[in-house]
Amino acid sequence: MPPRQNQRKEEGFRLGHFLSFIFLRSILLPFSFLPYRACIFLGSAIILLFYPFARRHRKIAYKNLNHSFPELTPKELRSLVFRHFRFLGVILGCFFYEQRKSRIWTETYISYDKDSELLEKELQGKGTGVVIVSGHIGNWESMAVYMPLRLPKVGTLFKPARNRYVGNWVDSRRQNAGTVATIPIDRPTEALRKLKGGYWLAFFADQNAGKSGIFVPFLNRPASTHQGPAVMAYTAKVPLVFYTTIYKGRGKFEVSCEDLGVPRLLAGETKEDMILRTTEMWTKVLEEKIKKNPEQYFWVHRRWKTQPTDLFLK
């Protein structure tokens, strides 16, 4: 493509992103002053308003659910897709309120199960870094709100959004909520330095990893999965802990965490074997969480886009 056409395409791309950002801000303006329950109601209303027009995303969600729960009838699958979109509306409303009044929201609407609270205090007492691994289930974004209120050194890794206007806005809200560190996922050296300095870093590692990932079984299909959590925990010699923040209704969420240990090589095992075993371990935990709360997983992303056969065909 000639340089002039390239420039025009890039300018159009940026303008489209900027207009999308302005549209998003205008829709979300009421969340800046409404009370919590009203934010949740409005979030659900907005998502359900767009639901009939979200044909592509409904199709992706239905297909993913059909593979993951083949025992469900078409009617049950359609109902689950609808409940999933309604839940996304709850998270949308919650996202904007919780970051306005993070301490009040945390003290009122976040609770830990007893064992998880004890585990977190025990790990915190050791003073070492921790690799937090989780998936896009429940209110995953809320970790950027409640964890800085409980831990002195905490951060998250993120994949920069294609729309830099939206990405910068969301990232600034994360930081304003108290997150000490936000690190792009393509900066492993910085993440490792933070871990060795005692930080707790969160990886939301269940998105499609493409050609760079390793394939592990996940909800009846192989899924290309990020190696980062296993590699970082092994390299930094810190525990790998699985976290979830599950919605319990009436605006309330429950946090649970499970210590998966410090990844180590077993007898006769290579580093690659260990990474695969550790990745399979936390993926299995995520799978069990999803089965208990299927409407709370982020079904509209193309988790299984890359398959093993794709790599051989290229």
Side-chain angles (χ1 to χ4, degrees):
M1 184 179 295
R4 187 179 297 273
Q5 291 184 16
N6 263 329
Q7 184 179 358
R8 288 175 179 172
K9 183 177 180 181
E10 180 66 21
E11 288 173 353
F13 189 65
R14 291 177 181 174
L15 177 61
H17 279 183
F18 180 71
L19 293 176
S20 297
F21 169 66
I22 295 299
F23 176 69
L24 180 64
R25 288 296 301 267
S26 65
I27 289 179
L28 300 179
L29 179 62
F31 292 105
S32 63
F33 57 83
L34 288 175
Y36 183 51
R37 291 291 181 83
C39 284
I40 289 179
F41 177 82
L42 179 60
S44 296
I46 289 174
I47 294 297
L48 294 182
L49 178 66
F50 285 99
Y51 180 78
F53 307 100
R55 182 176 180 180
R56 175 173 170 268
H57 290 93
R58 296 203 318 267
K59 185 177 180 180
I60 292 172
Y62 185 95
K63 182 178 179 181
N64 286 339
L65 283 162
N66 191 28
H67 278 285
S68 302
F69 300 97
E71 70 278 9
L72 296 183
T73 65
K75 182 179 179 179
E76 290 171 328
L77 289 170
R78 288 192 295 271
S79 173
L80 190 50
V81 171
F82 179 82
R83 287 186 284 123
H84 169 59
F85 274 78
R86 184 173 60 190
F87 173 72
L88 293 181
V90 171
I91 298 305
L92 176 66
C94 183
F95 173 78
F96 289 99
Y97 181 88
E98 69 191 12
Q99 298 189 24
R100 275 169 44 202
K101 300 184 178 182
S102 56
R103 186 170 295 277
I104 293 174
W105 180 80
T106 298
E107 292 174 352
T108 308
Y109 296 102
I110 282 285
S111 64
Y112 276 61
D113 69 65
K114 185 176 180 180
D115 291 339
S116 296
E117 189 161 28
L118 290 173
L119 172 60
E120 187 177 271
K121 289 180 179 179
E122 179 185 343
L123 291 171
Q124 187 178 359
K126 295 180 179 179
T128 64
V130 170
V131 169
I132 297 170
V133 62
S134 188
H136 290 77
I137 182 172
N139 190 356
W140 66 87
E141 278 283 356
S142 66
M143 292 178 68
V145 175
Y146 67 78
M147 293 204 76
L149 299 176
R150 302 174 63 89
L151 300 165
K153 295 181 177 181
V154 62
T156 182
L157 285 94
F158 70 98
K159 183 178 181 180
R162 290 183 63 194
N163 187 325
R164 65 183 178 88
Y165 301 104
V166 173
N168 291 340
W169 179 46
V170 171
D171 190 43
S172 68
R173 296 186 69 89
R174 288 172 179 152
Q175 295 186 46
N176 290 338
T179 301
V180 176
T182 53
I183 305 171
I185 201 168
D186 59 355
R187 297 183 187 172
T189 302
E190 184 178 348
L192 186 59
R193 185 168 59 249
K194 292 289 187 183
L195 284 171
K196 291 183 176 180
Y199 276 76
W200 292 42
L201 293 187
F203 288 73
F204 297 94
D206 63 327
Q207 292 183 309
N208 177 52
K211 294 186 291 183
S212 63
I214 54 175
F215 288 95
V216 300
F218 181 53
L219 292 169
N220 303 321
R221 283 185 286 174
S224 177
T225 307
H226 291 283
Q227 305 175 51
V231 172
M232 285 293 171
Y234 173 75
T235 305
K237 297 180 173 57
V238 299
L240 185 67
V241 182
F242 192 93
Y243 267 79
T244 49
T245 310
I246 297 298
Y247 187 55
K248 294 296 183 179
R250 301 182 64 83
K252 297 186 176 182
F253 296 84
E254 183 178 75
V255 180
S256 64
C257 55
E258 182 175 339
D259 187 3
L260 305 181
V262 179
R264 292 186 174 89
L265 294 177
L266 300 179
E269 195 176 43
T270 65
K271 182 179 178 180
E272 289 72 23
D273 292 335
M274 179 276 300
I275 292 171
L276 178 61
R277 173 175 54 81
T278 304
T279 304
E280 287 179 339
M281 178 170 55
W282 71 254
T283 301
K284 185 65 177 177
V285 176
L286 173 61
E287 185 176 286
E288 293 304 315
K289 299 288 185 181
I290 293 170
K291 289 178 179 178
K292 291 179 182 178
N293 300 278
E295 74 283 357
Q296 295 193 34
Y297 189 57
F298 194 60
W299 294 107
V300 295
H301 75 297
R302 300 180 66 188
R303 177 66 185 92
W304 295 269
K305 179 181 178 180
T306 303
Q307 286 295 291
T309 51
D310 297 339
L311 305 184
F312 293 106
L313 293 175
K314 292 181 179 180

